[in-house]
Amino acid sequence: MKLSQLMEDVVCTVVQGSTDVEINDIIYDSRKAAPGQLFFCIVGTQRDSHDYAADCAAKGVSALVIQHDIDLATVPGVTVLKVENSRYAMAVMSSNLFGKPSRQLTMIGVTGTKGKTTTTHMIKSVLEAAGKKVGMIGTNGVYFMGKHRETANTTPESYELQKLFREFVDAGCDTALMEVSSQGVMMDRIAGIHYDVGVFTNLSPDHIGPGEHASFEEYRGWKAQLFRRCTVGVVNVDDENTPALLEGHTCKLETYGRSEQADWQAGEYQLMRTHDFLGVTFPVKGPNEQLQLQVNMPGEFTVYNALASLCVGKVLGLSDEAIHAGLADCVVKGRVELVPISKKFTILLDYAHNEVSTQSLLETLRAYQPNRLVVVFGCGGNRSRLRRYGMGEICAKMADFSILTEDNNRFEPVEDILADIRKGMKQGNPDAKFVEIPDRLDALHYAVDHAQEGDLIAVIGKGHETYRDRMGVKTPFCERELLLEYAKEKGLQ
């Protein structure tokens, strides 16, 4: 494609050279520089890739996009475009490169602090029950037409995102469903995309700190951008942040919740539990109709996630049959995911990895009145120590027994992490019962070996992850597979 074609809808200045050059691909990693490519110089939190412009020119790239001045003498013969924001320009030009694929898809974006992954899986299940062909992007990776692969970020970089949309279209998908992170919006990864439906789950402090967001208000503000970029907003009317989130919104609204203000209101839910089922059933009252839903996931947050999915289905005109079937059949890897290894006790995996999500999960599980509520958990290394204190405090208060272990220690000694968790536990309940088992596989085996009749055992923190990160080295570690393997070894199955 000619550079002049890629520049459509981008405000820029031609600093040097001609726009009548052929561009084969877009790159933002200088190590991939080669003839025929367009390199974007991006100012990042760790480094400024304008410093690599000369190196890319020496490797023969056809053009550069910059957002601040560079020494043009170091890039002779290379076309140079100057823009106000390189990330924004890269998003729009990537869309142009791949033929504006998002315009050929029904676009659905889901944002919020908790529930994004589960809600997108529920919506996908409902859409597919209605016969839709869905491409999905989020924390658990990319799914489309029976394929799955991992992603580095919940919301991929704009180039990767547009390339995925192109793949979706070429594979026959009619819908793109994705988690929209605050970082993804702030870094212009979704620039130039208009969503048919935007979904808001809930909001609480998260991703606040160096390299992320300066404050909760900033975090909320970036989440709010989705509702200036969609046709219909599906929002949780019960969340206290909803009014502030919707300031300046430009979309039509459909609301859900348990309060009477909601367009789609859930009634009292009933808990359902067997050794291999942990779910809820509840009535829903909507405009001129009533439904009874059943979901094989536990707790009040499941009610909200299912309501959001129902609402999306209604906005898109899907049948009640598809909504019922999709919600009843949905299972999400690593999100309150049961591992059926024994009829004596229930063991599940969940991604809860901060204080808020841990408290929400344990409150949910406590409602099922288990003999004991047991938690297996650790905290990630090279991350906020406050998270360790908070999770330790919550587990000490709410669990009958805790098994402290590793969780992606990265470059930090696991002993230091466990010491911080221990401090939090003492603050939460000085008499809390717990054991420390640094090796996570040993901790899983201990949980199974010491399980009692009627126990509910929550293995939290890693959820869908299939690796263990020790001192920066990732090795395979799929908890579901490891538990099933150990159960077979012990004769539980």
Side-chain angles (χ1 to χ4, degrees), residues 17 61-62 68 70 210 218 274 311 313 340 353 356 433 435 438 451 456:
V61 297
S62 297
H68 65 68
I70 61 171
E218 180 188 293
T274 65
C311 216
H353 60 285
V356 173
K433 296 178 181 178
V435 64
L456 242 174

Side-chain angles (χ1 to χ4, degrees), residues 89-317:
M90 183 168 72
V92 176
M93 293 173 82
S94 294
S95 175
N96 292 340
L97 177 69
F98 291 109
K100 301 178 181 177
S102 66
R103 298 187 183 182
Q104 301 170 58
L105 297 159
T106 297
M107 295 295 303
I108 305 170
V110 180
T111 198
T113 303
K114 303 189 299 292
K116 294 189 299 296
T117 300
T118 300
T119 301
T120 51
H121 277 76
M122 284 184 176
I123 294 171
K124 178 176 181 286
S125 187
V126 167
L127 288 165
E128 289 179 340
K132 302 293 183 182
K133 295 179 172 59
V134 185
M136 184 173 72
I137 304 165
T139 305
N140 280 11
V142 178
Y143 297 82
F144 69 104
M145 308 301 279
K147 300 177 182 178
H148 172 250
R149 61 176 178 261
E150 300 297 328
T151 54
N153 300 301
T154 295
T155 305
E157 191 56 77
S158 59
Y159 171 85
E160 275 74 31
L161 198 54
Q162 295 294 338
K163 187 176 182 180
L164 282 171
F165 294 156
R166 182 73 260 162
E167 285 188 68
F168 290 174
V169 172
D170 291 346
C173 294
D174 50 47
T175 305
L177 168 64
M178 61 180 290
E179 296 179 45
V180 178
S181 68
S182 55
Q183 292 270 23
V185 184
M186 182 175 73
M187 294 182 175
D188 285 308
R189 293 173 186 163
I190 65 164
I193 299 173
H194 182 80
Y195 293 88
D196 295 280
V197 184
V199 182
F200 168 59
T201 58
N202 51 67
L203 206 66
S204 57
D206 202 9
H207 299 292
I208 298 167
E212 296 188 282
H213 299 290
S215 66
F216 176 69
E217 289 71 26
E218 180 188 293
Y219 172 60
R220 183 177 62 202
W222 286 114
K223 294 279 190 189
Q225 285 290 321
L226 179 60
F227 302 96
R228 300 174 192 176
R229 307 181 188 201
C230 68
T231 302
V232 180
V234 170
V235 299
N236 175 3
V237 75
D238 294 345
D239 193 279
E240 63 181 10
N241 287 289
T242 296
L245 187 94
L246 291 177
E247 286 179 7
H249 79 274
T250 57
C251 58
K252 298 177 183 176
L253 294 176
E254 285 281 332
T255 62
Y256 66 91
R258 301 196 63 193
S259 62
E260 293 184 358
Q261 289 75 31
D263 296 323
W264 295 91
Q265 180 189 6
E268 289 299 318
Y269 62 93
Q270 293 180 313
L271 305 177
M272 304 171 66
R273 179 190 179 188
T274 65
H275 74 281
D276 60 355
F277 185 94
L278 205 66
V280 291
T281 181
F282 59 95
V284 180
K285 182 172 67 175
N288 304 314
E289 63 176 307
Q290 291 192 341
L291 303 89
Q292 183 74 29
L293 298 181
Q294 179 174 314
V295 192
N296 63 343
M297 296 179 207
E300 188 168 37
F301 55 80
T302 290
V303 174
Y304 278 94
N305 296 338
L307 277 175
S309 307
L310 161 72
C311 216
V312 171
K314 290 294 183 179
V315 167
L316 297 178

Side-chain angles (χ1 to χ4, degrees), residues 331-487:
V331 175
V332 186
K333 286 185 179 179
R335 297 303 193 277
V336 203
E337 178 191 6
L338 268 63
V339 184
I341 63 174
S342 172
K343 293 184 178 181
K344 186 175 85 169
F345 58 88
T346 302
I347 190 164
L348 58 88
L349 310 178
D350 194 82
Y351 192 52
H353 60 285
N354 60 31
E355 182 178 352
V356 173
S357 57
T358 300
Q359 180 171 346
S360 177
L361 175 68
L362 297 188
E363 285 176 348
T364 295
L365 299 180
R366 178 62 71 189
Y368 286 84
Q369 299 181 336
N371 171 47
R372 291 188 310 165
L373 179 54
V374 179
V375 188
V376 181
F377 78 105
C379 288
N382 305 111
R383 296 292 188 270
S384 171
R385 295 177 72 185
L386 293 177
R387 181 175 291 181
R388 304 170 192 175
Y389 302 143
M391 286 185 68
E393 183 175 347
I394 289 298
C395 290
K397 287 179 178 177
M398 302 187 66
D400 297 303
F401 187 73
S402 297
I403 303 171
L404 278 53
T405 189
E406 62 183 326
D407 182 346
N408 295 338
N409 72 310
R410 298 181 178 90
F411 295 97
E412 194 171 354
V414 68
E415 293 79 12
D416 294 352
I417 299 170
L418 295 180
D420 284 341
I421 296 174
R422 205 161 49 236
K423 289 178 184 177
M425 295 197 72
K426 287 180 180 178
Q427 184 175 331
N429 177 8
D431 299 320
K433 296 178 181 178
F434 67 93
V435 64
E436 293 184 36
I437 304 177
D439 185 286
R440 196 169 177 102
L441 182 58
D442 290 344
L444 294 179
H445 291 174
Y446 182 93
V448 173
D449 290 342
H450 293 80
Q452 298 176 12
E453 186 88 32
D455 279 357
L456 242 174
I457 303 170
V459 181
I460 68 173
K462 293 183 65 62
H464 62 284
E465 293 176 353
T466 57
Y467 63 87
R468 173 165 52 181
D469 187 341
R470 285 174 162 173
M471 303 311 288
V473 178
K474 291 184 178 180
T475 53
F477 196 87
C478 178
E479 291 183 325
R480 180 183 179 84
E481 291 179 4
L482 291 168
L483 284 166
L484 289 170
E485 189 178 288
Y486 190 62

